[in-house]
Each structure stands twice: as C-alpha cells, then as structure tokens.
C-alpha cells in the first residue's frame, strides 16, 4: 500500500507572507489543524494550531484588543512556521508513513517528490486506510481463526471460502505471543453463521468468533 493511494490530494496551503490572523481564519473556515507553506511551488514550512497559539499574545497580556489584532495582522507565517518539515514520498509504504508520524509525534506528513508537493497524508487518512484495509463497513461476517504458526494455514482458509463461493473482502494475520497466529477474514454478503462455523470446524480449524457486520459509509 503506497502513500499516494491514501493521501489527501486537494491541499489548502498558504505563502510565507500570509499573516497569522489570516492563517488562523483559514484553518477555522476549512476545519483544518495544519497548513503547508509554499513558496515558488516548493514546500518551505508548516504552520499548525500550536505554532499559531505560541505566537499569539497570552490572555494575561496587558495589550488591548486592538493592539492584539494589530500584532496578529502584522506577524507573518514565515516568522513562526516550522521550517524543518518531515516529509514522505508518495511511493513510500503506508506503514513507513505511519512509523514516521508515530516516531516524530506528528499528525501530518506533506507528500513530496522531486521537490513538488503532491498532497498530504494525515492521521485521519491513516485511520481511513486502516478501516478500508480491514474491510470495515462491509456487510457480511468477520471470521476470526486461531491457527498454528506454520505455512499453508491461510491458504487452507481461503480455499474453503472459495470452494463455498464466498467472497473475501480482506484478510489480517497477526502472530501472538503464545506462538499461535490469529487470522481474520471479512466475508462479503449475507451468509449463514452456523454454516460458516461448521465449514471450518469440520476442516479442523479453530473458530474463535464469527461477528456479523453491517454496511457503513466511511
């Protein structure tokens, strides 16, 4: 899974000479928490709610409202923006992007290739990708199996589903500390739970759970 398959392509951005007041208004209007800063078609920084808050006068200040507004309308984004921006390539894996965000405690990564900004990948994009990959929101059954950690177990499950002419929307495989492997498959459509349980148990596969799922818009 590549970053380019899940990134947000329509990016709202600002220039370094944008005032803090205008950047804050834009964030509020667009319901955004961060804005890339672009100059001469290149990414030069990032402004966030946090950087704006740090640059704004404290509530305990003795400045009047007019003086505070003057200050916010005079201060430019280039004076407060984050200049050392962590970026990711659109061809990087989604896992690499997730790791970068986790390691650096950031909620957004501008997607840059050949010095050009092509989009951004955010924590919300990561959440949406996880839901999509896991098959969440699809009508059907989420079947969870516990199998030995050896070759061929996933193939056996897929073959049983295929022979029954069911359709698998997604699969997730996780090794546990006990040495076993948990395999989850999302089976599409309306199926008989007891029929599914018998199908696998008769084949010697431990069925941990069968949970009906309903269609949802993500």
């Amino acid at each position: 899974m590549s970053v380019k398959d899940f990134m947000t392509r329509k990016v709202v951005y600002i220039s370094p000479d944008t005032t803090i007041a205008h950047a804050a208004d834009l964030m509020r209007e667009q319901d955004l928490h961060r804005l890339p800063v672009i100059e001469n078609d290149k990414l030069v920084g990032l402004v966030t709610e946090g950087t704006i808050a740090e640059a704004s006068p404290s509530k305990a200040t003795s400045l009047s409202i007019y003086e505070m507004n003057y200050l916010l309308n005079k201060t430019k984004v280039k004076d407060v923006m984050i200049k050392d921006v962590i970026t990711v390539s659109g061809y990087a894996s989604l896992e690499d992007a997730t790791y970068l965000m986790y390691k650096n405690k950031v909620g957004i990564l501008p997607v840059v290739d050949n010095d050009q900004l092509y989009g951004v990948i955010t924590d919300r994009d990561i959440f949406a990708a996880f839901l999509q990959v896991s098959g969440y929101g699809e009508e059907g059954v989420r079947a969870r199996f516990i199998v030995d950690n050896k070759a061929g177990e996933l193939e056996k499950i897929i073959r049983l589903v295929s022979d029954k002419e069911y359709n698998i929307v997604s699969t997730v495989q996780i090794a546990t500390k006990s040495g076993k492997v948990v395999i989850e498959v999302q089976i599409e459509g309306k199926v008989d739970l007891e029929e599914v349980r018998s199908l696998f148990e008769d084949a010697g596969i431990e069925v941990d759970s069968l949970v009906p799922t309903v269609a949802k818009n993500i």
Side-chain angles (χ1 to χ4, degrees), residues 23 25 29 43 47 50 61 91 105-107 141 143 149 188 192 198 208:
D25 288 341
E29 292 168 3
L43 179 73
V47 66
T61 182
Y91 296 95
K105 299 179 181 178
V106 296
V141 174
N149 189 7
E188 185 181 39
D192 185 295
S198 297
D208 186 53

Side-chain angles (χ1 to χ4, degrees), residues 41-102:
D41 295 327
K42 291 186 178 181
L43 179 73
V44 295
L46 185 72
V47 66
T48 70
E49 288 179 333
T51 56
I52 290 179
E54 290 175 3
S56 301
S58 166
K59 291 182 179 180
T61 182
S62 60
L63 295 175
S64 70
I65 187 66
Y66 303 105
E67 290 172 320
M68 286 191 291
N69 285 336
Y70 173 78
L71 181 62
L72 292 175
N73 280 290
K74 182 180 178 181
T75 306
K76 302 292 181 66
V77 164
K78 63 184 176 184
D79 299 321
V80 302
M81 68 183 185
I82 300 169
K83 295 180 180 179
D84 186 16
V85 183
I86 301 168
T87 65
V88 68
S89 167
Y91 296 95
S93 70
L94 195 63
E95 294 88 341
D96 285 338
T98 304
Y99 176 74
L100 279 174
M101 295 169 77
Y102 172 76

Side-chain angles (χ1 to χ4, degrees), residues 114-134:
N114 299 320
D115 293 327
Q116 295 293 310
L117 179 70
Y118 288 94
V120 294
I121 186 84
T122 69
D123 45 12
R124 288 181 61 84
D125 293 325
I126 299 292
F127 298 154
F130 171 77
L131 292 175
Q132 181 179 334
V133 170
S134 66

Side-chain angles (χ1 to χ4, degrees), residues 121-197:
I121 186 84
T122 69
D123 45 12
R124 288 181 61 84
D125 293 325
I126 299 292
F127 298 154
F130 171 77
L131 292 175
Q132 181 179 334
V133 170
S134 66
Y136 183 83
E138 298 284 347
E139 181 183 26
V141 174
R142 180 173 296 277
R144 176 183 169 97
F145 310 100
I146 299 178
V147 299
D148 293 327
N149 189 7
K150 61 182 182 181
E153 293 300 299
L154 178 59
E155 179 192 5
K156 187 188 302 183
I157 291 171
I158 292 175
R159 186 172 65 251
L160 286 169
V161 173
S162 176
D163 289 346
K164 197 65 179 177
E165 296 187 347
Y166 292 150
N167 183 42
I168 293 180
V169 177
S170 67
T171 63
V172 178
Q173 183 170 320
I174 305 171
T176 67
K177 293 181 179 179
S178 66
K180 295 283 188 175
V181 172
V182 172
I183 296 178
E184 287 190 359
V185 299
Q186 177 71 25
I187 301 174
E188 185 181 39
K190 295 181 179 180
V191 297
D192 185 295
L193 294 184
E194 290 309 312
E195 185 178 78
V196 171
R197 183 179 296 278

